[in-house]
Amino acid sequence: MLRETNKRQVEIILPTKIGYERMAMACSASFAKFWGLEPERIEDLKTAVSEACMNAMEHGNKGRSETRVVVNLWLEGGYLVVQVRDEGTGIRDIPGDPDIHKKIRKLEPPRGLGLFLMRKLMDQVEYNKITAEGHTVRMALKLEKPDLPAK
Amino acid sequence: MADQNKIIVETKGTVAVLDIKGDVTGASEPFFSEAYHHPDADGTGKLLLKFDGEAYINSGGIAVLIQLLAEAKRNRQRVCITGLSAHFKKVFHMVGITRFADIFPSVEEALKEMG
């Protein structure tokens, strides 16, 4: 489900099913392009949104088919903000930056790169915001031209 | 929804080229494993991974690639990569993949250097 919640905000509701993160990626890319982000930053956004949605499905919602992932996009204070909400209780063990040498030597699992990529590709990342509706990850990209015309 | 993987393995001189079609995700693991152990790749000292520049690659797919790099390192094989978009070149550099695999702009340039 996709709906425009106000003049500059879009909401996407996804089933908890791996693969549907692609829809959030596509919508995020369209939203970012509409507001004038450069192609390189749009690619950064797509990867970060994909990783946040997959984390929400796998770790937040634990793959439960009755749950949903809600993605909101809006503009605020010169930033494009994307918020990904799941029905979980937050991230308990936040992994540090990956050590590729340890991964190659199998001293560290090969997975666990999602949060790292989100932190590296976005200008701001916040997680573990817990509300009655669940756990939220909030990410933001700085707009090249913060004084955007009304569209 | 995702593009199904298919990996075609062929030998170019002393290099086994793994032509990776489709998206690279956690679900790609059996395809990478099968290609790595393909008769044309098994035992060769040099592997070239050719990605589809339009492909979707996520962290699960990068983990699969790390597993392949780990196995290649244990077997003393050189791995090179080509076909990546500018974005995924940046991502691979961020993760550290480029410490274990050189990235080339084309198959021809990779083979010339690896040969």
Side-chain angles (χ1 to χ4, degrees):
Chain A
M1 181 193 294
L2 172 66
R3 63 190 173 110
E4 186 177 4
T5 54
N6 66 29
K7 194 174 182 184
R8 291 187 173 187
Q9 182 166 171
V10 166
E11 182 170 276
I12 308 149
I13 303 173
L14 303 172
T16 294
K17 187 169 174 56
I18 292 297
Y20 278 81
E21 76 279 2
R22 304 281 298 267
M23 296 192 183
M25 285 172 68
C27 291
S28 303
S30 296
F31 188 84
K33 187 176 180 184
F34 185 78
W35 290 111
L37 264 77
E38 295 296 320
E40 182 181 347
R41 302 282 12 228
I42 293 175
E43 291 303 313
D44 293 344
L45 177 68
K46 284 166 64 182
T47 292
V49 166
S50 160
E51 296 299 331
C53 288
M54 286 194 302
N55 278 349
M57 291 173 189
E58 289 180 12
H59 305 299
N61 290 346
K62 300 191 186 309
R64 290 173 294 145
S65 60
E66 72 276 19
T67 59
R68 295 288 180 269
V69 173
V70 180
V71 182
N72 287 91
L73 295 141
W74 70 91
L75 303 181
E76 182 182 312
Y79 285 85
L80 185 156
V81 182
V82 55
Q83 184 171 281
V84 179
R85 192 178 75 232
D86 60 54
E87 298 177 34
T89 54
I91 307 165
R92 282 198 179 79
D93 299 316
I94 296 170
D97 287 355
D99 183 331
I100 189 69
H101 294 281
K102 285 185 178 175
K103 287 185 184 295
I104 291 291
R105 290 162 61 200
K106 299 202 170 184
L107 300 172
E108 192 176 281
R111 298 202 66 175
L113 298 164
L115 279 178
F116 168 75
L117 290 175
M118 289 154 59
R119 289 194 297 261
K120 293 290 278 187
L121 296 170
M122 300 294 284
D123 295 324
Q124 297 176 0
V125 179
E126 297 168 16
Y127 25 78
N128 280 344
K129 183 184 171 192
I130 310 294
T131 66
E133 294 176 304
H135 164 245
T136 295
V137 171
R138 182 187 183 280
M139 306 182 287
L141 274 183
K142 195 163 180 55
L143 297 167
E144 284 90 358
K145 298 170 190 169
D147 298 325
L148 294 165
K151 284 193 180 180
Chain B
M1 186 182 297
D3 292 342
Q4 184 72 25
N5 268 145
K6 183 177 181 184
I7 304 179
I8 299 165
V9 183
E10 60 177 332
T11 306
K12 301 253 183 172
T14 58
V15 180
V17 180
L18 277 59
D19 190 355
I20 302 154
K21 310 283 189 190
D23 300 332
V24 182
T25 69
S28 304
E29 197 277 332
F31 299 95
F32 273 71
S33 180
E34 186 182 342
Y36 182 78
H37 294 291
H38 186 279
D40 286 344
D42 211 13
T44 185
K46 300 167 191 171
L47 296 170
L48 176 61
L49 309 182
K50 178 178 176 285
F51 286 87
D52 173 355
E54 300 295 313
Y56 164 60
I57 306 173
N58 65 22
S59 62
I62 295 172
V64 170
L65 176 59
I66 290 171
Q67 287 176 290
L68 184 147
L69 290 175
E71 199 163 348
K73 183 166 174 58
R74 271 200 312 279
N75 293 328
R76 298 175 185 276
Q77 294 166 301
R78 183 182 180 194
V79 180
C80 294
I81 292 172
T82 190
L84 289 177
S85 67
H87 174 68
F88 284 110
K89 281 180 193 165
K90 178 172 77 176
V91 167
F92 279 27
H93 183 71
M94 281 176 181
V95 174
I97 297 286
T98 47
R99 295 183 191 178
F100 293 91
D102 294 320
I103 296 179
F104 290 91
S106 69
V107 170
E108 293 71 26
E109 287 175 73
L111 291 174
K112 187 177 173 186
E113 208 283 328
M114 294 173 81

